[in-house]
Amino acid sequence: MDRNLALELVRVTETAALACGRYMGRGDKIAADQAAVDGMRQTFATIKIRGEVVIGEGELDEAPMLYIGEKIGMYNVDDPEVDIAVDPLEGTNLIAKGLPNAIAVMAMGPKGTLLHAPDTYMKKIAVGPKAKGCIDIKDTVENNLIRVADACKKNIRDLTMIIQDRERHEDIIKEARRLGCRIKLFSDGDVSAAIATCFEDTGIDIFMGTGGAPEGVLAAAAIKCLGGDMQGIIAPIYEEGFERCEELGWTEEKRKTVLGLDDLVSSDDVFFAATGVSDGEFLQGVRYLEDNRATTQSVVMRGSTGTIRFVDAQHKLDKNEILIDVL
Ligand code: VTB
Ligand code: MG
Ligand code: MG
């Protein structure tokens, strides 16, 4: 895939972020999400790809745009065939309440390389490059923390775990506390939490817990580019999740499989892009300025070369056709 697609993808997440950033703190997560979807979809239409959404906003009947199976891009015969994973607004509750870490996010890989994860939950563990090869999702919290601490040349009490504040994580949290590990609880948004393990200045060493399976594939794309490590297990919680799994062929037997980084994202030639909507662990949120301007901060990554770019942009909202339309 052409390396210059990286900049095209930044435009996609920037537009989504600019569109939904307006909804910060307004208590309307549905309107915020819709704005992000509209912004993202319009920008996709300008990109030279033959894309198929494999991780999207849902099935066609529940999501009219960016639904799973939707064909997106300019679709010229010479354009590369790609899998697309999107979450136009990851953290709809966060933006509705004006809380940190909401992002607009997407990943792209050659056709057939992004896991078609069912729309249910995934048990996950992730670490940064230093602890690559040291995680085992089937092993105890204690053994994982011992190995990660070792790899990071730290004591467990110097490690920081990030984990979503949910009752389902009670056992992990209890165990991490018993071992003296520092813990950062977050309310929503586990894509940015998982990726934060790979940026040293976040101070976060390990991510554990059960969150969205689609979010797991998005995080894996970034972690692959950043040289970190991740494992997942498809783990429905509610009845409907179990039903969805059966429908999609994720039988009880298949759900026992430990999905490694290469199962989640099978090609190195993967792209990942995210733009901050609210301020977060590694991205600043959207700012709206005087004179119809706004700023965004994004990160774009390319797996094949391992290049990570942070892109600070200033946008003139009344000069860009798509922005005029979605804002
Ligand atoms: C997860 C997580 C997401 O919502 O899907 C979570 O991956 C849902 O968990 O990042 P609950 O059902 O316990 O709320 C997010 O946090 C935000 O979409
Ligand atoms: Mg979403
Ligand atoms: Mg989400």
Side-chain angles (χ1 to χ4, degrees), residues 90-91 121 124 164 166 168 188-191 211-212 215:
E90 156 62 353
Y121 291 83
K124 316 171 194 179
Q164 198 167 14
R166 292 289 188 276
R168 59 180 179 262
D188 268 301
D190 79 351
V191 175
E215 280 86 347

Side-chain angles (χ1 to χ4, degrees), residues 159-171:
L159 286 182
T160 304
M161 174 191 288
I162 190 161
I163 184 163
Q164 198 167 14
D165 195 4
R166 292 289 188 276
E167 241 170 63
R168 59 180 179 262
H169 298 148
E170 202 184 298
D171 291 351

Side-chain angles (χ1 to χ4, degrees), residues 125-266:
I125 183 168
V127 288
K130 279 187 192 157
K132 192 172 171 63
C134 299
I135 49 172
D136 178 356
I137 199 165
K138 293 267 193 181
D139 203 350
T140 60
V141 174
E142 178 166 15
N143 286 341
N144 275 296
L145 289 182
I146 290 172
R147 282 194 303 268
V148 171
D150 226 40
C152 296
K153 300 197 173 68
K154 287 182 180 183
N155 296 313
I156 290 182
R157 64 182 189 133
D158 304 323
L159 286 182
T160 304
M161 174 191 288
I162 190 161
I163 184 163
Q164 198 167 14
D165 195 4
R166 292 289 188 276
E167 241 170 63
R168 59 180 179 262
H169 298 148
E170 202 184 298
D171 291 351
I172 302 176
I173 294 169
K174 227 196 234 165
E175 190 56 4
R177 285 184 176 151
R178 183 182 72 77
L179 295 158
C181 180
R182 284 154 43 97
I183 299 173
K184 192 160 183 177
L185 293 166
F186 66 95
S187 64
D188 268 301
D190 79 351
V191 175
S192 81
I195 297 171
T197 58
C198 294
F199 288 110
E200 209 160 1
D201 21 323
T202 61
I204 294 162
D205 302 290
I206 182 166
F207 161 85
M208 288 182 89
T210 299
E215 280 86 347
V217 176
L218 283 162
I223 289 172
K224 190 147 185 157
C225 297
L226 289 159
D229 206 356
M230 178 171 171
Q231 291 175 347
I233 293 179
I234 299 296
I237 303 178
Y238 308 110
E239 193 46 45
E240 52 175 31
F242 285 96
E243 283 165 14
R244 278 303 282 153
C245 281
E246 293 300 328
E247 273 170 38
L248 297 168
W250 285 89
T251 57
E252 202 180 333
E253 201 48 41
K254 191 173 170 194
R255 294 199 299 270
K256 290 183 184 151
T257 324
V258 173
L259 303 164
L261 200 50
D262 295 341
D263 302 309
L264 296 164
V265 176
S266 65

